[in-house]
Amino acid sequence: MVNYDDRLHQVYATGRALPADGLRTWMETAVSFAPAARPLTVLDLGCGVGRFTPALAETFGGPAYGVEPSTMMLRQAPEHPAVTYLEGSAESIPLADKSCDLVWLFLTIHHWADPLQGLREVSRVLRPGGVVILRTQFGDRMPDLYWYRYFPNARKVDASMYLPFDEVRALAEQAGLVAEEQPHWVDVTEPRTLRATYDRLKLRAFSTFEHLPEDELDRGFAEFERDAAADPDRELPSFPAGVLLLRRPSS
């Protein structure tokens, strides 16, 4: 398991910052999948430094709860009148039964110690008819990210961290949630020039880098920096983000 209280909390907010148009796209996506009623009570589970929590509160009328196991990450989360931050894990969510209308899971399930128990807890706190927006990668459907070429083991590391698509669906069904048959694919604007990508990744805010040996990191970032300096404005290909919708049955 990755310890975000160790090093990552120091670089996460900068290295994983969302541009305004990227955040807007994610909120528009959330609206398209969420129940129509307003206000909605939202759980941002694994909220980290609160990248999404205030926006979720504003988009759906609040209240929103950001739940995160890392104390150091939570200390950086921005205050908001409609947001309550709580220390807790997916396996033991500190909220009452049937207290939420929408659960936002953004690149978090691969960090859970027990995904089935976590999904059971998500089902427990979700009201009947509620929706889970699960943004994740799938181990059998990994994108061929440009920067993998600099770190030979990175793609294998990422694929091993993420569950295969059918396994995610099966766990959701075991937990009492109904999973859609296929993921949705969302195109989100992010820095895509070679230089911007290097500047973002050099902070090592992606958990992938925690699993790579230092010699591979040193060699890869040296090569990456050299290429970014030589051709900084090269546009890199984009890859859509996978989203799986889960629902708690109404009855």
Side-chain angles (χ1 to χ4, degrees):
M1 299 296 291
V2 174
N3 182 2
Y4 279 81
D5 281 337
D6 184 16
R7 181 193 68 85
L8 279 170
H9 73 275
Q10 301 175 45
V11 297
Y12 195 91
T14 301
R16 303 301 294 272
L18 283 165
D21 52 354
L23 182 60
R24 188 180 312 113
T25 296
W26 278 118
M27 291 304 100
E28 290 170 354
T29 299
V31 168
S32 71
F33 295 144
R38 297 292 184 274
L40 298 180
T41 299
V42 182
L43 166 60
D44 182 4
L45 181 56
C47 67
V49 296
R51 290 193 297 165
F52 295 100
T53 326
L56 288 165
E58 293 172 3
T59 298
F60 295 105
Y65 296 92
V67 173
E68 167 61 38
S70 168
T71 302
M72 300 302 290
M73 294 280 274
L74 273 183
R75 286 181 182 175
Q76 300 176 62
E79 294 185 2
H80 188 282
V83 170
T84 301
Y85 295 107
L86 301 167
E87 283 195 40
S89 68
E91 294 80 8
S92 183
I93 299 172
L95 293 175
D97 295 359
K98 300 179 182 178
S99 57
C100 300
D101 303 292
L102 179 68
V103 178
W104 179 258
L105 303 178
F106 196 95
L107 296 178
T108 180
I109 191 173
H110 60 291
H111 291 307
W112 297 359
D114 186 339
L116 177 56
Q117 174 59 19
L119 288 168
R120 284 174 172 155
E121 277 287 274
V122 167
S123 180
R124 177 185 66 79
V125 302
L126 199 59
R127 293 187 178 112
V131 171
V132 180
I133 300 175
L134 172 57
R135 158 69 181 120
T136 189
Q137 306 276 29
F138 304 103
D140 56 343
R141 304 188 185 193
M142 295 297 297
D144 187 19
L145 300 177
Y146 178 86
W147 57 269
Y148 283 164
R149 69 190 60 195
Y150 296 105
F151 307 96
N153 291 303
R155 192 181 193 283
K156 182 170 62 177
V157 164
D158 276 355
S160 69
M161 280 199 295
Y162 292 99
L163 297 173
F165 177 73
D166 287 343
E167 187 172 343
V168 175
R169 291 191 74 250
L171 289 172
E173 297 285 350
Q174 281 184 259
L177 299 165
V178 177
E180 292 197 345
E181 293 188 1
Q182 294 296 330
H184 298 261
W185 299 99
V186 180
D187 187 19
V188 181
T189 300
E190 293 183 350
R192 287 179 180 154
T193 66
L194 189 57
R195 183 77 216 188
T197 302
Y198 168 75
D199 286 342
R200 185 183 188 195
L201 290 178
K202 71 179 180 182
L203 297 173
R204 290 171 49 182
F206 287 67
S207 58
T208 308
F209 298 124
E210 300 299 296
H211 301 281
L212 297 177
E214 286 297 324
D215 59 339
E216 182 173 341
L217 292 170
D218 292 342
R219 184 167 54 251
F221 278 115
E223 295 174 2
F224 201 165
E225 183 178 26
R226 178 200 64 207
D227 291 350
D231 193 6
D233 297 324
R234 187 198 315 174
E235 290 286 335
L236 302 183
S238 62
F239 295 92
V243 174
L244 179 62
L245 291 188
L246 312 174
R247 302 179 190 276
R248 179 168 174 177
S250 298
S251 58

